[in-house]
Amino acid sequence: MTLLEERPPERYEAPERRLTEVIPAPKNKGILAYLTSTDHKQIGINYMVTSFTMFLIAGAMAILMRVQLAVPNNNFVSLTTYNELFTIHGTIMLFLFLGPFAFGTANYLVPIQVGAPDMAFPRFNAFSYWLFLGGCITLLSSFLTSSGAAQWGWFAYAPLTEWIHSPGPGGDLWIVGVALAAFSSMFTGINLITTVFCLRAPGMVMFRMPIFTWNQLVTAFLVLLAFPVLSADLALLWADRHLGTNFFNPARGGQPILWQDLFWFFGHPEVYILALPFFGMATEIISTFSRKPVFGYKGMVFATLSIGGLSMGVWAHHMYTTGAVLLPFFTIMTLLISVPTGIKFFNWIGTMFRGSVRLDSPMLFCLGFLVCFLLGGFTGIMLALPPLDFQLHDTYFVVAHFHYVLFGGSVFAAFGAIHYWFPKFTGKKLDERLAKITFVIMFIGFNLCFFPQHDLGLRGMQRRIATYPSSAGWSFLNMISSIGAFILAFSMLPFLINVWETLRKGKKVGPNPWDGMTLEWVTESPPIPHNFEFIPPIRSERPVWDLNHPDHPTLPHGKHAREMARERREAAMAGVGAGGALGGSATGPATDGDGHVNGHGNGDSPGDGNGSNTPGDGGDGFGGGSP
Amino acid sequence: MAETTGTAPQPGGPGGTGIGPPERHHFLWIIGIWVVLVVPADLIFWFVGGPHMPPGTMTSSAAGQQFDFNVLTMMAIPVVLAVLVYEGYALTTWRASRGGPEPVTNANSRGNLAIQTAFIGVSTAIVLGAFIFGTYELVAPAGAGGGEGPDAAWTPGTHSVLPIQVIAQQWKFTFRYPTFGGFETADLVIPANSWIAFHVTSLDVIHSFWAYQLGVKADANPGYDNIAYTKTTGQLGNFTIRCAELCGIWHGAMFDTGQVMSVPAFKAWAAATEIKLAAATKLLPPFAWTYIPDANGADGGYYPDNEDPYSPVEMYGAQKVTVTP
């Protein structure tokens, strides 16, 4: 798992000066920095800010929809506008918010967490962002066309999407916008995988990588498996609309269900692409705020890998009612995926067990994430059973289910991540009081908005209807849901005020205000251009904790614990101190105002027995990070 | 998290420093609180809420769905309560603000193979149980109400099944009764205590036929015969029909009401309707399980359309019929 053993014996050789010596480019500032930067941190910020803006836009669309549905027989928006709203709302949330936001955090954090100075392909990385921004602009511009934006829902079932049923450039811009986002995602996936495999710092073996980075790695592989299928699907649709082909046209032998198969072959891994990075964020936060290592670290890793693998085989559970699905196969595959997901859940709460739990705002959001995601996960199990799916498919029960998974799960974790890493991004910490107010309002609003939708679905309200008769018996629950939506939207106000005020007036905090455990917390806030002047010895998945808490190091477990105990006994019998046998030498780390290590220094940290902790190999810090 | 499992409480709190009072057994407390909450919650749901859960008992498939939902909810309540109780316990017991010492950092704090393996075993068993339960509920009724395609795997073991063709198009459902001369009507009427086979197809885009109280849902795919079986009970009355798949601008307006009649009443209705619609039936294309949509994609070439402005390009589907007054 590591290249460490394969490194040649270290001996100092004076570097030969070459004509290719890197001369730092002049540093741009302001808008020019934004436009020209290839720094992964700037690109990460670009991704996050852009995708969050798209989140606010799509959220505003959701509010318009909830106004329309608040009362029966409403005419607040036209039928056409309503269809445009839910189509673009879903498309933005899935393609242009959650995924790109996750890529933004990956861009910013993954290179730092593995001890690298940048992503593997910085210019390619910038290109990915510009493609994504192009996708955003393209999609939103479809509202300006004569035909309006696409009106076929975010999963765009053919043949409704054929030209004869949905003519006009609005649909074409939807296809192009989504395709641009898809290519952006694929390029980012390539970049992430290369970065993780090729740029890890010495000592950062695979099983010492933070869970966040692991999850981003698996997500990147899923992107490379799923998004090409989506791209092909979009190309076929474009060809049907403009080149006279008939892939999905039943009038000339095309197969509409082919679209569904291809789309969901992408679409279900996409759900995990939108979930796994946020699982990683929650893992880091819960561990930090419980002041404990992740319980069952390797179990978490294998659970992530299992989720990634199984997610490629469950696509047709979205298609139970088509009559073209081998139901038991997809039932068992779908149910099996709940096992590794359950492992993750178990390990999250196991991490809290007998910890020292701090209820700071990131942890609050993660506790909300645990509750909401649990509900979403369990309704997912219900929907996996075909007889129940026959009743609940395409109803508001499903709408509630996936909002509990993707908002209650991913978005709550995303807000936890924003509050957690904001000091790293900006050097300033968000105001805790406003952050907690944000959480409380968001949690209440979210549940008030989406919990009644379970009941609406059970009472027979199908998705994507612009209005309903008063006799349907859905009026009260819809009103409650709409009130919840307004409260949810209102929760953005304290958050945005908090961000604004903190950026303007916030006090500088040190590099590690939360007592974080992974490598990003050892460098400056925000990090210097090449990220590190110093990297501590990496002997476990939380090297910064080991550095800052030599009295509570991350201990090995399992057979490694037994081996370590034996070594200690042998060392004691030989009259040699165990610390000297197991750790590098200490040279007095510099500390910041919080007492945490902040500068060049060497820790006295134990090995974790993962295969490369030969005594003393972690004694030195490594500037720059590239092997 | 396993450090307290099966072991005596460690003195001195999480660190086991030997200072302070003995620590209580967390698992027993959590399980105790959980049991106190779960038992009444499950009982109340099963006996009070469960019998009233939709979609009711108008057909065997609807009753099956109600039963399935209640069973799954009974499973969900303990799991959800377990997490809520755990979180509540953790926040009241292990809050840093209560001045606790540094958390445990012994080897078990990073994982415990026995506990983790046990969890995987238990969760896998639950999942396999859910799979067996769900598959049994799908197969055993030989008609769970869902579309099973043209070659349904699980069909009723009787030949006495009433076939009804559901034809979906933008934006209405019509129904053909092939065993009554193939007449087509906008009214869906079915007999009580009978097996029904809904043959669902579409003339244009994808729709989804959803008879809510019957517990029947089957996608209407153009050029595709999607069969859904169900068996009506003795319950008579109306049921709601809706389109469940987005099919265009008037998707939400695509709803109707059907009716379950007694068998004699149904036979009388069918015979009378067959006679009443005989002239119109002759104008329909020959009965088939599917109708290939035409080039304009609007009506599937199903209806005679001399007035259709797209007729010159209509190359597919049914032959054009010249209507003489």
Side-chain angles (χ1 to χ4, degrees):
Chain A
M1 285 295 184
T2 174
L3 297 174
L4 202 60
E5 291 88 345
E6 298 164 14
R7 293 170 62 194
E10 288 186 19
R11 61 177 186 278
Y12 178 75
E13 290 178 1
E16 183 185 347
R17 293 185 70 84
R18 295 176 183 169
L19 289 177
T20 54
E21 186 178 1
V22 176
I23 300 170
K27 185 170 170 56
N28 295 315
K29 290 184 177 176
I31 189 71
L32 208 57
Y34 164 72
L35 290 172
T36 61
S37 179
T38 57
D39 183 345
H40 71 102
K41 298 180 287 296
Q42 179 65 53
I43 293 171
I45 295 287
N46 293 353
Y47 263 112
M48 286 186 269
V49 170
T50 309
S51 59
F52 196 83
T53 306
M54 297 304 288
F55 168 70
L56 295 178
I57 292 171
M61 293 179 190
I63 289 297
L64 294 178
M65 286 190 281
R66 284 315 317 174
V67 172
Q68 168 70 13
L69 291 174
V71 293
N73 302 313
N74 201 2
N75 293 310
F76 178 71
V77 295
S78 69
L79 299 179
T80 304
T81 303
Y82 187 84
N83 285 9
E84 290 173 345
L85 288 174
F86 69 66
T87 299
I88 304 302
H89 165 81
T91 305
I92 287 178
M93 288 299 193
L94 293 162
F95 292 106
L96 303 177
F97 164 56
L98 272 175
F101 185 85
F103 292 142
T105 57
N107 253 293
Y108 201 108
L109 295 168
V110 165
I112 306 181
Q113 287 196 338
V114 300
D118 203 326
M119 293 280 271
F121 310 115
R123 292 181 188 177
F124 197 41
N125 198 23
F127 180 56
S128 303
Y129 168 73
W130 291 106
L131 278 181
F132 158 63
L133 184 65
C136 296
I137 294 169
T138 305
L139 188 77
L140 289 178
S141 68
S142 63
F143 279 105
L144 306 177
T145 64
S146 57
S147 61
Q151 301 162 31
W152 50 45
W154 78 271
F155 44 75
Y157 275 7
L160 183 63
T161 48
E162 295 282 298
W163 183 269
I164 198 159
H165 295 294
S166 301
D172 296 330
L173 289 173
W174 183 90
I175 295 171
V176 175
V178 173
L180 287 171
F183 278 98
S184 163
S185 302
M186 286 187 275
F187 296 162
T188 301
I190 292 167
N191 224 334
L192 275 174
I193 291 170
T194 315
T195 303
V196 169
F197 281 137
C198 299
L199 294 187
R200 295 196 312 281
M204 181 58 78
V205 297
M206 293 296 280
F207 279 124
R208 290 177 193 161
M209 288 199 314
I211 291 291
F212 173 78
T213 292
W214 259 110
N215 282 24
Q216 292 284 6
L217 176 66
V218 175
T219 302
F221 274 107
L222 283 181
V223 165
L224 292 191
L225 289 168
F227 273 84
V229 180
L230 173 69
S231 306
D233 213 11
L234 294 170
L236 298 183
L237 179 59
W238 179 275
D240 264 16
R241 285 171 67 88
H242 295 291
L243 303 179
T245 60
N246 295 284
F247 293 106
F248 310 118
N249 180 7
R252 301 194 187 187
Q255 285 290 345
I257 296 179
L258 173 64
W259 168 273
Q260 295 186 37
D261 270 313
L262 291 174
F263 186 88
W264 289 119
F265 190 80
F266 145 80
H268 204 78
E270 165 74 350
V271 172
Y272 289 96
I273 289 167
L274 304 182
L276 285 178
F278 300 95
F279 290 176
M281 296 170 196
T283 308
E284 300 295 333
I285 292 169
I286 290 171
S287 173
T288 297
F289 289 90
S290 301
R291 297 172 70 75
K292 279 183 64 187
V294 176
F295 179 79
Y297 170 86
K298 288 188 179 177
M300 284 290 233
V301 171
F302 286 116
T304 306
L305 292 168
S306 305
I307 289 172
L310 288 168
S311 72
M312 299 303 297
V314 298
W315 77 93
H317 71 216
H318 297 269
M319 300 165 55
Y320 280 171
T321 56
T322 58
V325 176
L326 182 59
L327 296 171
F329 174 78
F330 286 98
T331 303
I332 187 65
M333 291 297 286
T334 306
L335 288 170
L336 277 179
I337 213 168
S338 62
V339 175
T341 310
I343 292 170
K344 281 183 168 293
F345 210 95
F346 185 72
N347 289 354
W348 286 324
I349 63 176
T351 302
M352 291 165 60
F353 193 84
R354 293 181 68 188
S356 178
V357 180
R358 292 177 296 170
L359 270 189
D360 291 311
S361 53
M363 186 65 171
L364 272 181
F365 280 104
C366 284
L367 292 175
F369 154 83
L370 287 176
V371 172
C372 298
F373 179 70
L374 177 72
L375 284 171
F378 215 96
T379 51
I381 291 177
M382 289 180 164
L383 290 165
L385 301 189
L388 270 180
D389 186 74
F390 295 153
Q391 180 198 0
L392 301 171
H393 178 68
D394 269 335
T395 68
Y396 263 80
F397 191 91
V398 175
V399 176
H401 156 69
F402 69 70
H403 279 93
Y404 264 85
V405 171
L406 291 180
F407 198 113
S410 298
V411 176
F412 269 83
F415 272 84
I418 292 171
H419 287 79
Y420 180 54
W421 277 296
F422 198 85
K424 185 53 58 184
F425 299 154
T426 66
K428 299 171 181 177
K429 195 168 148 186
L430 288 168
D431 179 68
E432 269 298 296
R433 191 161 154 268
L434 275 175
K436 288 176 178 173
I437 290 172
T438 303
F439 167 75
V440 170
I441 299 174
M442 184 185 284
F443 190 77
I444 292 171
F446 169 77
N447 284 290
L448 204 58
C449 178
F450 292 107
F451 197 82
Q453 293 183 6
H454 292 105
D455 200 12
L456 280 170
L458 286 169
R459 289 167 183 264
M461 182 169 175
Q462 71 271 50
R463 299 169 70 175
R464 296 172 169 171
I465 55 172
T467 188
Y468 51 91
S470 54
S471 60
W474 305 330
S475 307
F476 176 72
L477 289 171
N478 268 308
M479 176 57 79
I480 295 292
S481 181
S482 295
I483 291 170
F486 272 96
I487 295 173
L488 183 56
F490 181 72
S491 71
M492 290 301 105
L493 193 61
F495 172 73
L496 293 174
I497 291 172
N498 200 357
V499 170
W500 176 257
E501 287 297 311
T502 304
L503 288 176
R504 282 182 64 226
K505 301 177 186 171
K507 284 189 295 187
K508 287 276 184 184
V509 292
N512 193 1
W514 306 116
D515 200 7
M517 305 174 178
T518 43
L519 280 183
E520 72 270 28
W521 300 110
V522 79
T523 187
E524 299 292 326
S525 296
I528 54 178
H530 53 287
N531 294 343
F532 298 101
E533 293 290 358
F534 147 76
I535 292 181
I538 300 166
R539 298 305 190 83
S540 74
E541 70 272 17
R542 47 177 201 167
V544 177
W545 172 277
D546 293 339
L547 192 64
N548 289 333
H549 298 272
D551 48 336
H552 288 281
T554 308
L555 296 177
H557 61 101
K559 68 176 183 180
H560 303 303
R562 291 191 293 275
E563 286 170 6
M564 183 177 168
R566 182 173 50 77
E567 285 175 15
R568 279 176 185 275
R569 281 197 304 274
E570 290 172 0
M573 289 175 69
V576 178
L582 292 164
S585 62
T587 57
T591 57
D592 62 12
D594 297 331
H596 299 136
V597 172
N598 175 24
H600 185 82
N602 298 317
D604 184 11
S605 56
D608 73 351
N610 271 330
S612 64
N613 56 322
T614 50
D617 75 346
D620 296 324
F622 300 94
S626 308
Chain B
M1 67 181 294
E3 47 267 39
T4 58
T5 309
T7 62
Q10 298 177 22
T17 58
I19 303 168
E23 192 173 20
R24 60 185 174 188
H25 203 300
H26 300 298
F27 271 176
L28 288 182
W29 271 92
I30 292 170
I31 290 171
I33 298 168
W34 175 72
V35 168
V36 167
L37 293 175
V38 161
V39 172
D42 259 354
L43 289 175
I44 289 171
F45 174 77
W46 186 260
F47 290 106
V48 179
H52 305 289
M53 294 309 291
T57 55
M58 196 169 242
T59 62
S60 57
S61 46
Q65 288 162 8
Q66 185 192 61
F67 175 73
D68 298 346
F69 183 84
N70 291 348
V71 169
L72 266 290
T73 306
M74 290 275 287
M75 286 172 59
I77 287 171
V79 176
V80 173
L81 280 177
V83 173
L84 291 178
V85 167
Y86 180 86
E87 281 198 10
Y89 187 88
L91 296 185
T92 52
T93 308
W94 298 312
R95 280 279 290 280
S97 59
R98 290 170 182 260
E102 283 288 314
V104 172
T105 53
N106 67 22
N108 276 345
S109 64
R110 294 183 68 195
N112 183 302
L113 190 62
I115 289 281
Q116 289 171 272
T117 307
F119 176 79
I120 294 170
V122 170
S123 57
T124 305
I126 292 173
V127 159
L128 291 177
F131 167 68
I132 292 167
F133 172 74
T135 306
Y136 177 82
E137 289 290 289
L138 170 71
V139 175
E148 294 183 40
D151 302 308
W154 302 287
T155 57
T158 172
H159 295 295
S160 180
V161 179
L162 174 69
I164 299 174
Q165 185 174 47
V166 180
I167 301 173
Q169 60 186 300
Q170 291 176 323
W171 285 274
K172 65 178 179 181
F173 289 109
T174 54
F175 311 94
R176 289 191 78 168
Y177 289 76
T179 52
F180 292 90
F183 71 80
E184 182 186 30
T185 171
D187 303 319
L188 177 58
V189 179
I190 57 175
N193 295 310
S194 305
W195 277 102
I196 315 289
F198 292 105
H199 292 254
V200 183
T201 191
S202 169
L203 301 181
D204 39 49
V205 300
I206 292 178
H207 305 265
S208 188
F209 169 71
W210 183 20
Y212 173 61
Q213 287 87 349
L214 303 188
V216 170
K217 190 178 285 163
D219 283 6
N221 297 301
Y224 194 76
D225 178 26
N226 194 10
I227 307 173
Y229 292 97
T230 192
K231 184 177 187 300
T232 51
T233 60
Q235 188 177 335
L236 307 181
N238 293 337
F239 57 89
T240 311
I241 300 162
R242 298 191 178 101
C243 176
E245 191 61 70
L246 176 66
C247 55
I249 189 169
W250 292 105
H251 163 60
M254 202 166 158
F255 63 88
D256 206 342
T257 302
Q259 191 178 0
V260 180
M261 294 178 171
S262 65
V263 174
F266 169 76
K267 286 181 176 174
W269 171 84
T273 307
E274 183 179 358
I275 293 168
K276 189 173 82 176
L277 297 178
T281 304
K282 287 178 185 172
L283 299 176
L284 294 175
F287 183 86
W289 293 119
T290 61
Y291 309 94
I292 304 301
D294 60 13
N296 69 46
D299 61 13
Y302 183 76
Y303 297 108
D305 51 1
N306 279 347
E307 303 301 321
D308 190 337
Y310 293 96
S311 289
V313 297
E314 190 167 281
M315 296 179 289
Y316 310 95
Q319 296 292 316
K320 284 200 289 187
V321 178
T322 303
V323 182
T324 52

